[in-house]
Amino acid sequence: MKVLKFGGTSVADAESIDCVSKIIKKDKNNLTVVISALGGITNILSIMLEKAGNGDDSYKNNINEIEKRHLKLIKNRIPITKQSGVVSFVKTQLNNLENLLDSVFSLREITLKSSATITSFGEILSCSIIYEIFKYQKIDVIFEDSRNLIETELQNNREIVNLIKTKNKVISFFKKNNSRVTLIPGFIASNNNGETTTLGRGGSDYTAALLANILDVNILEIWTDVSGMYTANPKLVSEAIPITNLSYYEAMELSHFGAKVIYPPTLQPIIEKQIPMIIKNTFKPDDQGTLINSSSNTNGQIVKGISHIDNVAIVTLEGNGMIGIPGFSNRLFEAISKKNINIIMITQASSEYSICIGLKSEDAQEAKKSIDDEFKFEISLSKVYPAKVEDDMVNLAIVGDKMKDHQGISGKLFSSLGSNNINIRAIAQGSSERNISIIIDRINIKKALNTLHESFFESQIKELNLFVTGVGNVGGKLLEQINKQEKYLSKNLHLKIRVMGISNSKKMILSNEPISLNNWKSLLENGINADRDLYYKNIKSKNLRNSIFIDNTASEIISKEYSKYLNNSIGVVTCNKIACADELKNYKKLKNISRKFNSPFLFETNVGAGLPVIDTLNNLVASGDRIIKIQAILSGSLNFIFNNFKKGKSFSDVVKKAEELGFTEPDPKIDLSGVDVARKILILARESGLNIELKQVKNNTFLPSESLNTASKEEFYKSLKKNSNHFNKILNDAELKKCRLKYIAQLEDGIASVGLKHVNKEHDFYNIEGSDNIILFYTNRYADQPLIVKGAGAGAAVTAAGIFADIIRIGKK
Ligand code: ADP
Ligand code: ASP
Ligand code: MG
């Protein structure tokens, strides 16, 4: 014999019930089948009860809704000639229900008795109809009302099953009746006086477990709408997977901490008789499901699952008066248990200065009141403070039998939450060490679950969520590169890059799913109007782990927003130099926030585009080397311009060409005035530990003052044309000395400078072609022969590649 239980999710409508019949027909064993109310009906009944108790007569509208759902089922699955009996049964029951609610409404009072009777209607209706459907489908079935089988008694204001009486009733029923299928409503029971009682919300699982225990069956099957107990709630963690095997205790802990798929008391009766239990999916019956038995098979997985309880509050009692005085905690717990309030978690600081308990939000105020009453005297003497309630929290637990034998589990829990800036409010570890349970702010739940799921179950895959701003030359190339590398990154680096937001100055896309990079352009054209504030708020409210804001612009306004992102643990990757070349205090502030909130701030492309310049410098400094001198060609634009500026060519045409090829800043004056190079050497100086400002960088400009003072790009080009003699002279002077013109940045003895220099054939820089950059690091270790980084130092593709490398750096952390 087997016991099968089908939950509300399995019997929500006619199509679902067809799946149930199929499972029952296929199984040739004798079956006891426990059925819940149609999905959602018990909820509606509870709401109606609340309404009636509060004097709100709109409960009457819900009666129609309940009637409709049940009659629809009858119409869809029972032939018209056989409907009348069951239809009139349903109508009579609904009349009774309405009468009961009317009396609750008149009295404005909800009692245990009215509550149980009213919520019991769901199972009474569902089972009566399903019984008729089964009969019509030629299943050999009898129906027995569980109120005749399961007896409860009131203890501490709670209905507890009287096991002895229940056992006698069940055994004597099954002695007399042995159809192939016995249909029994879950959840409902009765007391000694024959009055209806219930086993608590979700209690059908418990009904089934009690029957499995008494009938000593081989297996208890819980059929639901998911393929087992998952590694985390599948509605919140899309990567969650069914756990193939759990020990009884692991299942108990997971369900106790909120994995709703099993009602926690269910485990006790099956543990007693060591009956295996399997959770199966009614809609995918071939899926393996979760087997729960006495073996604790880890399959190499130490943490088996993560579960959580929503809507939790913490109540803290603290005060100097508590120190060393015995009995405080006893009095606290007694005060709470008197009110029948369930405590989810307890932590006590070893200083004994405070005790903190986690409980359901709805119980928090009552708990506070009873604690404050209990400690009235001590509060009046200021020995303790009135209990403090903090709401909007969730309790989250990781569970596994073998956790106690492995070190580092809690370290991993704390560090992965910490690096995503999720604050832990309270911590407790079960004495069995089978669970570690924490309380965090409710807004972080999805992020926390996914972060922990990633660290404990998907260690091989790390997800990065990108929000890209600026999709012109560089940004466009970046998206193209990410799209092309997607498979490689996932296979070789186990990185999953998801672009969740794209914006330019006109339009933006804010998406809940990764944006398709095959047609992002048309998606963006049809996006909503760009709004920087909304973009930021959306990223923040998404609260995704490993979020990164990417700035591909040269905009000052956008550079001012980095601190906002970093403050919220959103990383920033940027090719925009403005922030790092801003006032020293602002640069330092960003670095500090990045450290404080564990939010990466990377800007490798600020110097040398895609060349690993800053990374190399950081590695030298971090490994204890000391920078003596940096000498560099840092402007791909100026290098390109002076490499192409030959006799007979117009300087302004060469500049124009460089701009067209994407080798200059959007405003070429920033390059030609030397400001761009000055910013770069400033950033290198700062990264090597010098505290200097931009104005301290010596800038020997080669531009005539007229060009420097222009107000627009047009004017600038005009002035270049007008001053062509000035530029031709610069070229001539160099050629006369057989030298080439190179714009060189230097850092030595704490002094940074930039300027156009004559470079002769012997110099390392003489042959630097096109838009290439070269950086010579003279350090203690590289004293005679410098460490040289050389290569293309401008252009959209290499800059995009540099940004991409920063993103990957974050992914590999
Ligand atoms: P039934 O009506 O079959 O009793 P429930 O709604 O009580 O179904 O339980 C099944 C639901 O439990 C699933 O649909 C899922 O949303 C939720 N759930 C929460 N945590 C988990 C988990 N860890 N594994 C599986 N399901 C879970
Ligand atoms: N119908 C009841 C409820 O929704 C019992 C159950 O489904 O297990 O709580
Ligand atoms: Mg359930």
Side-chain angles (χ1 to χ4, degrees), residues 5 7-8 36-38 40-43 119 123 186-187 200-205:
K5 176 256 170 178
S36 296
L38 305 193
I41 294 291
T42 317
N43 269 352
T119 49
E123 269 70 9
F187 180 57
R201 290 305 309 274
S204 297
D205 298 336

Side-chain angles (χ1 to χ4, degrees), residues 287-326:
D287 282 4
Q288 188 178 4
T290 300
L291 178 67
I292 299 167
N293 57 15
S294 53
S295 89
S296 183
N297 186 355
T298 63
N299 286 332
Q301 192 67 50
I302 308 304
V303 173
K304 298 294 264 312
I306 309 168
S307 57
H308 73 283
I309 306 174
D310 204 353
N311 293 317
V312 166
I314 49 183
V315 178
T316 313
L317 182 67
E318 35 180 23
N320 297 324
M322 288 167 64
I323 299 170
I325 302 177

Side-chain angles (χ1 to χ4, degrees), residues 179-325:
S179 291
R180 196 184 74 81
V181 176
T182 306
L183 186 65
I184 293 178
F187 180 57
I188 59 176
S190 66
N191 63 18
N192 199 18
N193 301 327
E195 293 159 342
T196 300
T197 57
T198 73
L199 305 182
R201 290 305 309 274
S204 297
D205 298 336
Y206 187 39
T207 310
L210 284 169
L211 293 171
N213 171 304
I214 298 167
L215 298 171
D216 228 336
V217 296
N218 299 329
I219 190 158
L220 166 62
E221 297 182 359
I222 301 281
W223 291 84
T224 181
D225 64 341
V226 284
S227 298
M229 174 107 60
Y230 275 60
T231 44
N233 185 335
K235 297 221 163 86
L236 295 176
V237 179
S238 60
E239 300 295 322
I241 46 165
I243 307 164
T244 41
N245 179 262
L246 283 171
S247 74
Y248 291 123
Y249 295 101
E250 286 170 334
M252 191 139 83
E253 298 278 349
L254 285 169
S255 67
H256 171 77
F257 283 106
K260 183 190 166 210
V261 65
I262 321 174
Y263 181 51
T266 308
L267 274 311
Q268 198 278 326
I270 65 161
I271 294 176
E272 189 191 299
K273 290 273 179 80
Q274 298 282 299
I275 298 167
M277 166 167 147
I278 189 158
I279 304 174
K280 295 275 287 177
N281 189 337
T282 305
F283 309 102
K284 293 182 184 166
D286 295 331
D287 282 4
Q288 188 178 4
T290 300
L291 178 67
I292 299 167
N293 57 15
S294 53
S295 89
S296 183
N297 186 355
T298 63
N299 286 332
Q301 192 67 50
I302 308 304
V303 173
K304 298 294 264 312
I306 309 168
S307 57
H308 73 283
I309 306 174
D310 204 353
N311 293 317
V312 166
I314 49 183
V315 178
T316 313
L317 182 67
E318 35 180 23
N320 297 324
M322 288 167 64
I323 299 170
I325 302 177

Side-chain angles (χ1 to χ4, degrees), residues 89 151 163 166 294 338 397 471 488 637 658 748:
F89 175 80
E151 186 172 321
L163 293 170
T166 301
S294 53
K338 258 193 246 151
V471 279
Y488 177 90
S637 342
E748 193 171 15

Side-chain angles (χ1 to χ4, degrees), residues 21-306:
S21 318
K22 227 189 221 167
I23 292 163
I24 291 178
K25 282 183 190 161
K26 200 170 164 199
D27 195 324
K28 299 295 174 218
N29 292 289
N30 277 359
L31 305 179
T32 294
V33 176
V34 175
I35 299 267
S36 296
L38 305 193
I41 294 291
T42 317
N43 269 352
I44 301 175
L45 290 166
S46 307
I47 293 167
M48 290 161 88
L49 176 70
E50 280 295 308
K51 284 182 179 171
N54 290 329
D56 169 359
D57 68 359
S58 66
Y59 63 84
K60 289 187 185 292
N61 305 338
N62 299 113
I63 301 254
N64 281 338
E65 192 186 343
I66 296 185
E67 179 172 306
K68 259 197 204 150
R69 277 195 56 194
H70 290 88
L71 292 186
K72 188 171 168 203
L73 183 58
I74 297 172
K75 282 202 184 102
N76 282 338
R77 287 297 176 271
I78 300 177
I80 201 147
T81 50
K82 298 200 156 81
Q83 282 176 7
S84 63
V86 65
V87 168
S88 73
F89 175 80
V90 169
K91 296 217 165 186
T92 315
Q93 289 299 321
L94 291 174
N95 267 340
N96 296 344
L97 172 65
E98 189 161 7
N99 291 339
L100 280 167
L101 285 161
D102 287 344
S103 47
V104 173
F105 178 77
S106 335
L107 296 168
R108 304 279 196 276
E109 189 191 29
I110 301 173
T111 60
L112 274 181
K113 191 169 153 186
S114 61
S115 165
T117 316
I118 285 168
T119 49
S120 74
F121 276 86
E123 269 70 9
I124 294 170
L125 292 171
S126 70
C127 283
S128 311
I129 299 170
I130 291 169
Y131 173 58
E132 292 300 326
I133 297 176
F134 282 1
K135 273 200 306 194
Y136 173 65
Q137 293 180 344
K138 304 255 170 337
I139 295 174
D140 173 18
V141 58
I142 50 167
F143 170 63
E144 178 65 3
D145 189 328
S146 37
R147 287 174 294 186
N148 301 328
L149 299 178
I150 297 178
E151 186 172 321
T152 61
E153 59 194 26
L154 203 59
Q155 281 177 22
N156 290 330
N157 231 16
R158 273 192 191 160
E159 292 296 345
I160 304 293
V161 173
N162 181 321
L163 293 170
I164 296 171
K165 286 189 172 172
T166 301
K167 186 172 174 187
N168 291 338
K169 288 181 183 182
V170 171
I171 289 177
S172 85
F173 171 79
F174 279 92
K175 250 188 201 152
K176 285 186 237 137
N177 298 283
N178 62 344
S179 291
R180 196 184 74 81
V181 176
T182 306
L183 186 65
I184 293 178
F187 180 57
I188 59 176
S190 66
N191 63 18
N192 199 18
N193 301 327
E195 293 159 342
T196 300
T197 57
T198 73
L199 305 182
R201 290 305 309 274
S204 297
D205 298 336
Y206 187 39
T207 310
L210 284 169
L211 293 171
N213 171 304
I214 298 167
L215 298 171
D216 228 336
V217 296
N218 299 329
I219 190 158
L220 166 62
E221 297 182 359
I222 301 281
W223 291 84
T224 181
D225 64 341
V226 284
S227 298
M229 174 107 60
Y230 275 60
T231 44
N233 185 335
K235 297 221 163 86
L236 295 176
V237 179
S238 60
E239 300 295 322
I241 46 165
I243 307 164
T244 41
N245 179 262
L246 283 171
S247 74
Y248 291 123
Y249 295 101
E250 286 170 334
M252 191 139 83
E253 298 278 349
L254 285 169
S255 67
H256 171 77
F257 283 106
K260 183 190 166 210
V261 65
I262 321 174
Y263 181 51
T266 308
L267 274 311
Q268 198 278 326
I270 65 161
I271 294 176
E272 189 191 299
K273 290 273 179 80
Q274 298 282 299
I275 298 167
M277 166 167 147
I278 189 158
I279 304 174
K280 295 275 287 177
N281 189 337
T282 305
F283 309 102
K284 293 182 184 166
D286 295 331
D287 282 4
Q288 188 178 4
T290 300
L291 178 67
I292 299 167
N293 57 15
S294 53
S295 89
S296 183
N297 186 355
T298 63
N299 286 332
Q301 192 67 50
I302 308 304
V303 173
K304 298 294 264 312
I306 309 168

Side-chain angles (χ1 to χ4, degrees), residues 367-532:
K368 174 184 162 53
K369 198 167 160 288
S370 66
I371 297 169
D372 288 351
D373 276 353
E374 174 64 38
F375 291 95
K376 211 188 295 164
F377 178 63
E378 286 83 356
I379 291 172
S380 75
L381 297 178
S382 298
K383 282 186 163 230
V384 294
Y385 304 113
K388 188 169 87 188
V389 176
E390 289 168 273
D391 209 346
D392 281 327
M393 313 253 165
V394 287
N395 181 288
L396 189 153
I398 57 171
V399 171
D401 282 340
K402 295 281 191 298
M403 275 168 34
K404 60 178 180 305
D405 309 326
H406 286 79
Q407 279 143 6
I409 303 278
S410 49
K412 194 164 171 183
L413 170 96
F414 301 139
S415 67
S416 45
L417 292 181
S419 62
N420 273 285
N421 203 32
I422 296 166
N423 195 14
I424 300 175
R425 305 298 304 274
I427 305 163
Q429 178 157 24
S431 53
S432 63
E433 294 185 40
R434 196 173 277 127
N435 77 68
I436 301 172
S437 159
I438 57 170
I439 290 184
I440 57 172
D441 288 333
R442 192 160 179 260
I443 49 162
N444 285 325
I445 184 58
K446 203 168 171 197
K447 188 178 187 182
L449 283 173
N450 281 283
T451 301
L452 293 180
H453 198 268
E454 196 171 81
S455 351
F456 288 108
F457 299 99
E458 309 156 40
S459 44
Q460 62 284 37
I461 292 283
K462 181 163 178 183
E463 190 176 290
L464 300 177
N465 293 293
L466 308 190
F467 299 87
V468 179
T469 293
V471 279
N473 275 348
V474 173
K477 277 274 179 308
L478 173 67
L479 293 179
E480 203 179 286
Q481 291 174 3
I482 293 176
N483 196 18
K484 271 205 193 120
Q485 281 307 96
E486 194 193 329
K487 286 210 179 78
Y488 177 90
L489 289 177
S490 141
K491 188 162 169 252
N492 296 290
L493 296 182
H494 305 301
L495 285 181
K496 188 160 148 201
I497 299 199
R498 311 192 319 155
V499 176
M500 303 299 286
I502 296 182
S503 172
N504 60 19
S505 56
K506 295 184 194 76
K507 294 279 183 182
M508 64 183 188
I509 320 171
L510 300 168
S511 174
N512 288 325
E513 296 302 323
I515 298 167
S516 156
L517 296 185
N518 293 321
N519 60 338
W520 66 268
K521 278 190 186 145
S522 64
L523 292 173
L524 184 62
E525 268 165 31
N526 296 313
I528 54 173
N529 287 340
D531 176 338
R532 279 196 319 281

